[in-house]
């Protein structure tokens, strides 16, 4: 881990920062209730900090031998500095520690930065979910399903 960076379990106290960033980063953001429900359900919810300041967050579900990345986001002010990759590698190690041997995620085809990040970290496209995401003007956007062997 890079000096200064740390990973801490997300708590209710983090939700205001997380939701504020979620709204800034995504056209169709998760609600505070989505994050609170994830915490209550026992999902793996993390906040990445640079010293004391939060810079990124993620929600991952691990079931039996599979991990599913549900949300990963890096604050706009610190994007393009490798933080997403550090968080993704941390999540991969946590998934392995929990017994996962495969790591899955969905990503919008239009999110080229995320696609490049996932490919750099060993994820490969294995399928497509038609009309998975809400999009502008009431339309729907497909999701690319990706997998990484752990």
């Amino acid at each position: 881990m890079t000096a200064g960076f740390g990973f801490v379990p997300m708590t209710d106290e983090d939700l205001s920062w997380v939701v504020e960033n979620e709204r800034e980063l995504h056209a169709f953001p998760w609600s505070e209730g989505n994050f609170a429900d994830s915490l209550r359900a026992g999902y793996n919810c993390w906040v990445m900090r640079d010293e004391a300041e939060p810079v990124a967050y993620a929600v991952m579900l691990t079931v039996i031998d599979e991990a599913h990345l549900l949300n990963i986001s890096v604050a706009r002010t610190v994007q393009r500095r490798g933080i997403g990759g550090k968080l993704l590698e941390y999540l991969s190690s946590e998934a392995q520690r929990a017994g996962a041997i495969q790591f899955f995620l969905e990503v919008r085809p239009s999110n080229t930065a995320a696609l490049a990040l996932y490919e750099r970290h060993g994820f490969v496209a294995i399928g497509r979910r038609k009309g998975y995401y809400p999009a502008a003007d009431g339309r729907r956007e497909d999701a690319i399903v990706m997998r990484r062997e752990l």
Side-chain angles (χ1 to χ4, degrees):
M1 181 168 45
T2 304
F5 286 109
F7 305 92
V8 296
M10 187 185 296
T11 67
D12 288 334
E13 289 75 37
D14 296 308
L15 291 182
S16 62
W17 180 84
V18 168
V19 170
E20 177 183 327
N21 278 273
E22 182 76 2
R23 289 180 183 148
E24 179 183 329
L25 295 167
H26 303 287
F28 299 93
W30 279 26
S31 69
E32 183 171 344
N34 294 133
F35 287 104
D37 288 347
S38 295
L39 286 171
R40 280 193 296 277
Y43 292 5
N44 300 291
C45 304
W46 296 96
V47 173
M48 183 179 177
R49 297 185 185 282
D50 183 2
E51 301 298 335
E53 293 299 313
V55 294
Y57 55 92
V59 178
M60 177 177 70
L61 172 62
T62 305
V63 179
I64 307 173
D65 63 352
E66 295 180 0
H68 297 262
L69 183 61
L70 305 176
N71 189 318
I72 185 169
S73 299
V74 175
R76 192 173 309 282
T77 57
V78 294
Q79 289 181 354
R80 306 249 183 245
R81 296 184 191 173
I83 289 169
K86 287 177 179 57
L87 180 52
L88 195 56
E89 287 306 312
Y90 179 78
L91 295 169
S92 295
S93 68
E94 284 297 308
Q96 281 183 302
R97 192 179 346 260
I101 59 173
Q102 297 184 91
F103 199 175
F104 294 91
L105 59 84
E106 290 91 10
V107 61
R108 292 174 184 267
S110 63
N111 192 344
T112 56
L115 276 167
L117 170 70
Y118 300 142
E119 289 170 351
R120 278 194 310 275
H121 288 272
F123 285 86
V124 295
I126 61 166
R128 202 168 187 99
R129 297 188 199 283
K130 296 286 184 191
Y132 186 77
Y133 290 111
D137 301 326
R139 297 182 204 165
R140 307 287 300 178
E141 185 174 3
D142 292 352
I144 297 172
V145 180
M146 301 185 85
R147 178 182 65 211
R148 175 182 173 182
E149 299 292 330
L150 296 175

